[in-house]
């Protein structure tokens, strides 16, 4: 059932004034107070083209005013043309959040005058949004905490204004008209930590379905936070909005600062005035931007150039069928099917987070799929250890994204198998891995092993190297013979160096400790 805009507005503000339980008043930071938090997220849709103009979505490295069409610049007589891929990605997001996608939504004009808005209005969906309801689960192990979503709507982004050293404002129209999803939560978070968890969970969903890269630092995921405090058993207090928070850390710090400010005012008997505030990242405090009385009258009106957006059930079913496995479901499966630790799962799911989300919902190169392919017929924990401790470390060292990983699943699997079969030492396997990452070699592992002369040494060869190592470090060898085992690993390291990683460290240790350098009183 579609709700009239007036009905939704009453519902939304009734929720803001409802009475809450005193169970939330036991935070040791502010005893006797409840904290109420809601978040509005503006997420840039990861489409190659803007929402209504057909011009390309800008990249970070683009020069100013090079990704702008006549429509983006509000040239008179130009008309909008809706990008269907942006609609699809927003619908993906809504379905992934459990929202009710509306069969009919519509576009509004939100009027205000500022240099970064060439047309003098922004096209949005305030009164007939794309989707209503839904939730974000914060605790994937128990599902005990979920934050409700009020609505999800499509809208245009504004241009970017920058204050230069001379005090003048420069306008870059590249971002103007880029596609945004505004995702409005219900006021159901009760601590800065819950707010941070909500943002991270939402980012994970957007990245999983390919609708946004969720990159807060680059401005493609911006948060406005509403904060209020009240005594247990009382209605919600006056809320203030903190605008444009660009990291989870700053978001949590801004909420904490705002909570203390509200409590200090109320303890003194002063009213908390409803206002919009910014966040000073240097001083870690919020500051006043404008009061409620200063808020402009946006004079919303239906956009006469855009017809209602009509979505059939067949279309929604098609989009639903294309959804990938969502983060909470994936976490549970990795835990139960492979026995992975929470830390390992976090690493796999965070690989290249926000850095390599493909455009237009195209399937990307996933660390999880790489792991699952490599783990077939092998110990999953061994595979994830090689990925996390060796492969990802080498990719990071060479400044490569995971999508640029030259080590195939077959190559990594062969390395693990040869180490288990004692056909390759762990040290030599790491050297081969480094070689592949560095050179991009597509040869099989035995061929690379032979070319690098990393064949496993015979027992006699290892014994001879142990004798040579003891001769090169006579003082340390004598200490070991006298029973000082603390310097034994230095000798092991010397022999490993002589073997160029082709000898097993445990075997070297055994030869040295139990034979060549056996303490004199035990011989």
């Amino acid at each position: 059932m579609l709700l009239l805009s007036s009905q939704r507005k009453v519902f939304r503000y009734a929720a803001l004034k409802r009475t809450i339980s005193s169970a939330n008043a036991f935070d040791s930071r502010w005893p006797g107070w409840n904290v109420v938090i809601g978040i509005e997220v503006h997420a840039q849709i990861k489409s190659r083209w803007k929402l209504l103009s057909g011009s390309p979505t800008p990249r970070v490295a683009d020069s100013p005013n090079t990704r702008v069409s006549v429509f983006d610049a509000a040239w008179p007589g130009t008309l909008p043309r809706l990008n269907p891929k942006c609609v699809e990605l927003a619908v993906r997001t809504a379905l992934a959040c459990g929202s009710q996608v509306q069969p009919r939504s519509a576009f509004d004009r939100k009027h205000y005058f500022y240099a970064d808005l060439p047309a003098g209005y922004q096209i949005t969906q305030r009164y007939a949004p794309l989707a209503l309801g839904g939730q974000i689960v914060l605790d994937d192990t128990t599902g005990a905490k979920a934050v409700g979503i009020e609505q999800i709507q499509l809208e245009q982004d504004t241009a970017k204004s920058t204050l230069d050293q001379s005090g003048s404002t420069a306008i870059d129209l590249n971002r103007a008209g880029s596609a945004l999803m505004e995702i409005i939560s219900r006021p159901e978070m009760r601590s800065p930590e819950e707010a941070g968890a909500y943002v991270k969970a939402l980012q994970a969903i957007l990245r999983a379905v390919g609708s946004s890269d969720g990159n807060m630092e680059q401005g493609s995921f911006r948060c406005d936070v509403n904060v209020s405090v009240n005594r247990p058993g009382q209605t919600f207090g006056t809320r203030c909005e903190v605008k444009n928070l660009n990291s989870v850390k700053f978001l949590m710090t801004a909420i904490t600062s705002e909570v203390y400010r509200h409590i200090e005012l109320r303890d003194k008997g002063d009213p908390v005035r409803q206002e919009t505030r910014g966040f000073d990242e240097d001083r870690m405090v919020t500051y006043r931007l404008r009061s409620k009385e200063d808020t402009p009258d946006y004079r919303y009106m239906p956009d006469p150039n855009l017809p209602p957006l009509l979505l059939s059930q067949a279309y929604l079913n098609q989009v639903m069928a294309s959804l990938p496995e969502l983060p909470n479901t994936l976490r549970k499966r990795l835990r139960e099917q492979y026995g992975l630790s929470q830390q390992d799962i976090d690493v796999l799911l965070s690989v290249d987070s926000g850095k390599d989300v493909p455009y237009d919902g195209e399937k990307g190169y996933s660390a999880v799929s790489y792991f699952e392919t490599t783990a077939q017929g092998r110990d999953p924990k061994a595979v994830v250890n090689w990925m996390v401790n060796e492969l990802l470390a080498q990719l990071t060292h060479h400044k490569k994204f995971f999508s640029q990983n030259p080590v195939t699943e077959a190559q990594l699997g062969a390395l693990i198998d040869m180490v288990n079969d004692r056909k390759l030492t762990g040290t030599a396997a790491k050297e081969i891995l480094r070689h592949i990452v560095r050179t991009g070699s597509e040869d099989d592992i035995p061929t690379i092993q032979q070319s690098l002369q990393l064949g496993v040494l015979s027992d006699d060869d290892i014994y001879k190297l142990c004798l040579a190592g003891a001769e090169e470090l006579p003082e340390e060898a004598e200490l070991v013979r006298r029973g000082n085992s603390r310097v034994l690993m230095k000798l092991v390291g010397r022999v490993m160096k002589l073997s160029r990683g082709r000898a097993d460290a445990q075997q070297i240790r055994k030869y040295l400790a139990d034979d060549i350098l056996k303490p004199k009183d035990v011989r």
Side-chain angles (χ1 to χ4, degrees), residues 350-369:
S350 65
V351 171
D352 286 356
S353 289
K355 300 174 184 175
D356 205 32
V357 175
Y359 281 99
D360 294 324
E362 296 168 355
K363 190 173 182 180
Y365 188 58
S366 164
V368 173
S369 63

Side-chain angles (χ1 to χ4, degrees), residues 281-293:
E281 297 176 3
D282 296 323
R283 297 190 299 128
M284 293 293 183
V285 295
T286 65
Y287 60 91
R288 182 180 180 276
L289 292 174
R290 60 178 180 267
S291 69
K292 181 182 178 182
E293 289 74 20

